[in-house]
Each structure stands twice: as structure tokens, then as C-alpha cells.
Amino acid sequence: MTNKSLTESDSHYDGLEKMGLSELLQNINKEDQTVPLAVEKTITQIEALVSQIVPRMKRGGRLFYIGAGTSGRLGIVDASECPPTFGVDHGIVVGIIAGGDGAIRKAVEFAEDDSDKGWDDLQALNIGIDDTVVGIAASGRTPYVIGAIKKAREEGILTGCITCNENSELAQVSEFSIEVLVGPEFVTGSTRMKAGTAQKLVLNMISTSTMIQLGHVIGNKMIDMKLSNEKLVERGTLMLMDQMNISKQEAKDLLQQHGSVRNVINAKKS
């Protein structure tokens, strides 16, 4: 394992407090532009992991994200968006954060340092052989995440990780590692910035490609989305108008009758 930590390396910039507002914003944006390019270099790593997740989920498996601090919060954000976007049940994609749900809003001191608690949290959710656990840690050295991934892999559960350092301990204990090397942060060590952006982009790719492979998108439409507000009802209506070449009122009536875009399409096919 290398001793060099890219996420803790000195920023390319100094004297930040002396910069004007415009210069600060332009330099932050300049650094942010490097993130998608770093993610692009990991597409084969992402593909390798997703290709293993999909068949397990087809057998009824779940996808768990586990992390601490910003990394844990990003996993929760991605997991919480899957039910409304793709119509899957809550509990199919699950985000776990060190320190529990209270840590979503307020940091829990030293929660990430407990190397046994991550596995305990997974066991509390009845983790099983068809499930997948993806550890998220910018540094790749968070004990809470490493302990969970290591134990899950020992139990024969599919494991992956998203990290922003090379050859980290987390990558070494994971079966499939995604190492997005974004380099030094604008504010040295502030991994909520480029590293956090990279993690979110990768999570988007994992969940979206998985859900498409599982059949929750037809054409380019989220046909299983939950119609939980007027905006989404309007979106579903427009989908049906486009898909079936019908009027807005007819689309609305069908949507109200059948409850989802998929159900309307299936009813029309039968």
C-alpha cells in the first residue's frame, strides 16, 4: 500500500484568503472540470462491478452503500432517489452511514473509527448472499467501511468500493474497486469537493445503469417512477402522450385509472 495520499496532498493553489470572489469561483470551477475526466478513466472498473450487481438483483438481491461523513451521505442520497425514480421498493437500494441516521445532518464524533460497527449495521438489515455492498471512502482508509467490506467479502457477498486514492486498504479488501484519482482538493483535504463530486457521479452511473438493466426504463423514459407529486404526474402524462400519440386528457385519464406509466402501456398491449 502506498504512503502517498492524493486526497490529502497540498492544493494547487495557495493564498486562498487573498483571492477575490471571482478568482475563487473560477479556480474552484477549473478544478471541478477535471472530475468527469477522472471518472471516465474508471468506466471499465464501474462496468465490471455493475455486471456483477445486476444478476444478483435479478435474483432478489439488494444494493448497499456504506460510508462515513460525506461519503455516507452521498450513498444515502443515491439510494433514496431510487424508489421515486425507478419505482423500486424502499430497501432495494440502501444507504448506511457511520453513526446512524443522526449523522446525516450532524457529524457523529469518531463513528468512522469503529471497524466492527459497519458489519453490525449490515447484519441488522439481514445482509445475504445475493446482496452487494459498495464501500464509499474518499481516502480509502476509513475503518468503519473497511471492516464492513472485509467481513462481507469473507462471507461470500459481492463487494466493491469507490475511493479517490490509489492502492488504498479499502481497495485491497474489495473484490471490485473503483479508484477515481481526482488529485488535490482546492482547499487541501476537503474531500467534500472534487472527491465528493466524483463519488456522486459514479453512484449515478452505478444505480442508473443497474436500473436500466433491470428493465425500469423503456426508450429513455422512467416508466416505473412513482407519481408522488403534480410535477411527476405531468411528466407521466407527457410520456404517455409521446409514447402512445394520444391527447393530454386521455393520457391523464389513463394514468389515473392504471396508476403508472408502465401499467398503462401494459394495459394497451393486452
Side-chain angles (χ1 to χ4, degrees):
M1 183 172 64
T2 180
N3 291 322
K4 185 179 180 182
S5 173
L6 291 175
T7 56
E8 298 296 330
S9 298
D10 278 345
S11 172
H12 295 308
Y13 305 83
D14 202 359
L16 304 187
E17 75 281 5
K18 299 174 185 176
M19 291 182 184
L21 178 57
S22 178
E23 186 180 8
L24 282 169
L25 296 175
Q26 288 179 28
N27 287 334
I28 291 170
N29 179 249
K30 184 178 179 181
E31 286 298 302
D32 285 345
Q33 290 176 41
T34 68
V35 176
L37 300 177
V39 171
E40 182 182 17
K41 294 177 181 177
T42 71
I43 287 176
T44 56
Q45 297 172 15
I46 299 168
E47 181 182 3
L49 176 58
V50 173
S51 69
Q52 296 297 315
I53 293 172
V54 171
R56 285 165 172 79
M57 294 193 78
K58 285 181 177 179
R59 296 196 297 265
R62 297 166 293 170
L63 173 58
F64 289 92
Y65 299 133
I66 189 164
T70 297
S71 297
R73 294 181 191 102
L74 289 169
I76 289 169
V77 167
D78 194 72
S80 66
E81 290 293 338
C82 287
T85 305
F86 300 110
V88 297
D89 291 337
H90 290 277
I92 297 298
V93 184
V94 181
I96 301 172
I97 186 170
D101 285 355
I104 297 171
R105 291 183 178 273
K106 186 177 180 181
V108 176
E109 298 295 331
F110 302 108
E112 70 174 53
D113 297 327
D114 189 333
S115 60
D116 296 322
K117 190 64 170 65
W119 176 245
D120 290 343
D121 289 344
L122 287 168
Q123 282 188 302
L125 294 168
N126 298 312
I127 185 88
I129 196 67
D130 282 330
D131 295 331
T132 302
V133 186
V134 178
I136 313 170
S139 67
R141 60 172 187 252
T142 307
Y144 175 85
V145 180
I146 293 169
I149 294 296
K150 186 175 181 180
K151 184 62 178 175
R153 189 172 181 185
E154 287 173 359
E155 295 293 322
I157 296 164
L158 178 67
T159 60
C161 73
I162 306 169
T163 181
C164 296
N165 276 330
E166 196 169 21
N167 300 322
S168 67
E169 185 176 356
L170 178 58
Q172 291 182 16
V173 300
S174 302
E175 188 174 356
F176 293 90
S177 61
I178 300 166
E179 297 174 317
V180 191
L181 307 181
V182 296
E185 297 288 358
F186 180 72
V187 176
T188 299
S190 182
T191 53
R192 70 184 183 86
M193 300 186 78
K194 290 196 300 182
T197 300
Q199 290 170 331
K200 184 63 174 75
L201 290 175
V202 173
L203 289 166
N204 287 347
M205 295 169 79
I206 291 172
S207 59
T208 303
S209 62
T210 295
M211 292 298 157
I212 292 171
Q213 295 269 295
L214 292 175
H216 294 293
V217 172
I218 290 181
N220 55 22
K221 304 296 194 298
M222 302 176 289
I223 63 165
D224 289 327
M225 68 178 182
K226 292 187 177 178
L227 307 176
S228 55
N229 57 50
E230 288 299 325
K231 177 188 72 176
L232 296 180
V233 171
E234 179 72 10
R235 184 179 294 165
T237 300
L238 294 173
M239 283 185 196
L240 291 174
M241 291 171 64
D242 180 61
Q243 183 84 12
M244 304 173 67
N245 196 27
I246 57 178
S247 70
K248 186 171 186 178
Q249 189 58 54
E250 187 178 359
K252 267 191 171 181
D253 292 343
L254 287 169
L255 203 55
Q256 187 172 21
Q257 178 185 349
H258 294 284
S260 76
V261 174
R262 180 186 289 276
N263 288 345
V264 173
I265 293 171
N266 288 342
K268 286 296 182 180
K269 286 180 179 177
S270 60

